[in-house]
Amino acid sequence: MYSPKVWTWVFVLKDKKILIWKRKSSLWNETRCIAWWHLEFWESFEECVKRETKEEFNIEIKNVEFLWITNFITENKHYVTIFMKSEYKSWKIDISIYDEYSEWKWIDFEELNNYNLFPILKDFLDNIKNLKDKINN
């Protein structure tokens, strides 16, 4: 029996905008996403997003906070996904070295729905919309 994987996703904010990019890989190619990684054994959510954001993109973040958790299940994948938010601290990167990503940009949170989103990010947005609807009814 397989167990679900645990992912941590982080919204990196700078001047009230979030960083997104387009994926160029076999897994949900051409979708937009935010920074995400698999949680390592014995690692906190905050440690994971700080470490991986630095290792993968050379982006330093600060003031990391928990936002939401989702249970994302497709026909052949199962991810428990922890969503965090953080503030941008610094970025020293040559994005041309990354084959999996393109079109990095800072956008307003409200603009996310204007893009073809990675399914787990879309699920997150649907969940928070549903929560708002439940609270308002």
Side-chain angles (χ1 to χ4, degrees):
M1 180 114 196
Y2 295 105
S3 296
K5 296 202 182 279
V6 178
W7 274 356
T8 56
W9 287 56
V10 64
F11 289 95
V12 177
L13 292 116
K14 177 183 172 190
D15 301 324
K16 299 186 180 181
K17 296 195 180 278
I18 60 171
L19 181 63
I20 66 167
W21 56 84
K22 185 187 287 186
R23 290 186 53 80
K24 297 188 309 181
S25 71
S26 60
L27 181 62
W28 293 301
N29 189 34
E30 297 293 314
T31 58
R32 302 288 178 152
C33 61
I34 60 174
W36 59 272
W37 300 277
H38 291 104
L39 185 67
E40 299 288 334
F41 199 61
W42 297 111
E43 189 171 49
S44 73
F45 305 146
E46 181 178 335
E47 290 167 341
C48 179
V49 296
K50 280 184 172 182
R51 175 185 54 77
E52 289 284 6
T53 305
K54 178 71 174 159
E55 285 177 10
E56 294 290 326
F57 308 118
N58 207 20
I59 296 172
E60 290 191 52
I61 58 176
K62 61 184 180 179
N63 301 327
V64 178
E65 295 178 35
F66 172 83
L67 287 177
W68 194 264
I69 187 170
T70 64
N71 189 31
F72 183 79
I73 302 169
T74 66
E75 53 198 55
N76 60 352
K77 299 194 182 303
H78 184 178
Y79 296 103
V80 174
T81 309
I82 313 302
F83 284 90
M84 312 287 283
K85 82 171 198 177
S86 68
E87 292 176 30
Y88 164 90
K89 186 175 176 183
S90 68
W91 188 7
K92 298 170 188 157
I93 189 169
D94 175 4
I95 60 172
S96 65
I97 64 173
Y98 295 101
D99 293 337
E100 285 188 43
Y101 315 111
S102 68
E103 299 182 30
W104 299 64
K105 60 173 75 173
W106 296 94
I107 66 166
D108 290 323
F109 184 83
E110 294 77 24
E111 293 177 63
L112 275 173
N113 281 319
N114 297 337
Y115 294 93
N116 178 25
L117 299 175
F118 195 91
I120 291 175
L121 185 54
K122 175 87 172 93
D123 186 61
F124 167 78
L125 294 176
D126 290 345
N127 277 308
I128 62 171
K129 181 189 179 307
N130 290 338
L131 178 63
K132 286 179 189 176
D133 290 346
K134 285 181 183 178
I135 290 171
N136 292 327
N137 286 332

